[in-house]
Amino acid sequence: MEMNTKRFLVRPGDTVSLADHDPAETGGLTKKEAKEALTQLRLELNELQELLYASEEHALLIVLQGMDTSGKDGVIKHVITAFNPQGCQVTGFKVPTSEELAHDFLWRVHRAVPRRGMVGIFNRSHYEDVVVVRVEGLAAEKVWRKRYGMINDFERLLAGNNVVIRKFFLHISKEEQRDRLQDRLKNKRDHWKFRVGDLKARARWDDYMAAYEEALSRCSLEEAPWYIIPADKKWYRNLVISQILAETLRSLDMKWPALEPGAEGIQII
Ligand code: AMP
Ligand code: MG
């Protein structure tokens, strides 16, 4: 029995209030049940992705956004690995280089959009340009405010060209982030993940939530929806995203390509 994923969807036109979404939700499932369901879904995702790759009609673009420690890397490690790496490309978006800054903000993003047949994963994305840029004051309001419309136009362009877009906001609580950051300090193996600068964003938590609320409210499109994923429990986060991806790929009505004309009846000698 699969869960109903509709409740994680931001309906176009909805005004999002993140306080109304519980980051610790587990849908009444136990960790064991979720892990079993995930194992099944991973097999199905693998098959569906092979079909996407073979049929070369659609690209799938997965956008991951969320605060530090929200699990963007974890989703790539535990969900995206269901796919054949040959058909995937992961792009992480960092502080823009001077070359990137010399172009429009979507330039680096458009170049990273997957071709048909491929799955593209954005670890952060053009949404940084209306979130971190807004909160940290990296551009004037009249600059970033125009970007919501530009982002919608851009995503409509992609969707109109067979790029299937699904966007996931990994919603963690401030308390969960505290624990995860503290763990990074504790474990030697995680020290590389800790940046003192991340605390700056944590100190502006409410401003980030407000910036995310506006982005989620303004930029959830029928053809490129946002989902708010409860992410305090990693196993639930992984399950919900896997299920949404499976539903998305199932809905594409993909067909295995036919045998090349003239190849029928060939006997291999
Ligand atoms: P990480 O994802 O931990 O590797 O960190 C990447 C950093 O780059 C984060 O602090 C992001 O906020 C920052 N970043 C990504 N895109 C932009 C952007 N367009 N403008 C400014 N900072 C950005
Ligand atoms: Mg980081």
Side-chain angles (χ1 to χ4, degrees), residues 13 40 82 87-88 134 161 199 214 220 231 235 259-260 266 269:
Q40 280 305 311
C88 296
R134 164 178 172 162
N161 285 277
L199 299 178
E214 187 155 2
S220 197
W235 46 270
L259 191 64
E260 181 188 322
I266 290 183
I269 48 169

Side-chain angles (χ1 to χ4, degrees), residues 41-60:
L41 275 170
R42 283 176 61 87
L43 294 172
E44 190 188 352
L45 281 172
N46 184 272
E47 284 176 16
L48 286 164
Q49 183 243 339
E50 188 172 359
L51 184 51
L52 180 92
Y53 188 83
S55 54
E56 278 189 315
E57 268 194 55
H58 305 271
L60 174 63

Side-chain angles (χ1 to χ4, degrees), residues 155-209:
E155 292 182 0
R156 283 197 185 100
L157 165 84
L158 298 181
N161 285 277
N162 288 15
V163 182
V164 179
I165 307 172
R166 292 295 180 269
K167 302 177 292 194
F168 300 104
F169 173 67
L170 309 183
H171 185 33
I172 56 165
S173 63
K174 200 175 175 189
E175 295 70 35
E176 180 67 19
Q177 192 200 45
R178 179 194 56 215
D179 295 348
R180 292 185 187 183
L181 286 172
Q182 198 68 65
D183 281 347
R184 286 185 176 181
L185 283 163
K186 230 187 304 176
N187 304 333
K188 259 207 166 90
R189 282 185 46 167
D190 290 338
H191 284 175
W192 64 277
K193 294 185 195 165
F194 188 87
R195 289 281 167 273
V196 176
D198 295 345
L199 299 178
K200 212 168 89 182
R202 177 170 171 77
R204 297 239 168 109
W205 188 272
D206 293 345
D207 295 336
Y208 274 95
M209 292 307 111

Side-chain angles (χ1 to χ4, degrees), residues 16-45:
V16 170
S17 165
L18 286 170
D20 298 341
H21 297 259
D22 179 9
E25 193 209 306
T26 57
L29 291 175
T30 63
K31 186 171 177 176
K32 185 164 173 282
E33 288 167 336
K35 289 216 154 169
E36 282 166 12
L38 183 63
T39 304
Q40 280 305 311
L41 275 170
R42 283 176 61 87
L43 294 172
E44 190 188 352
L45 281 172

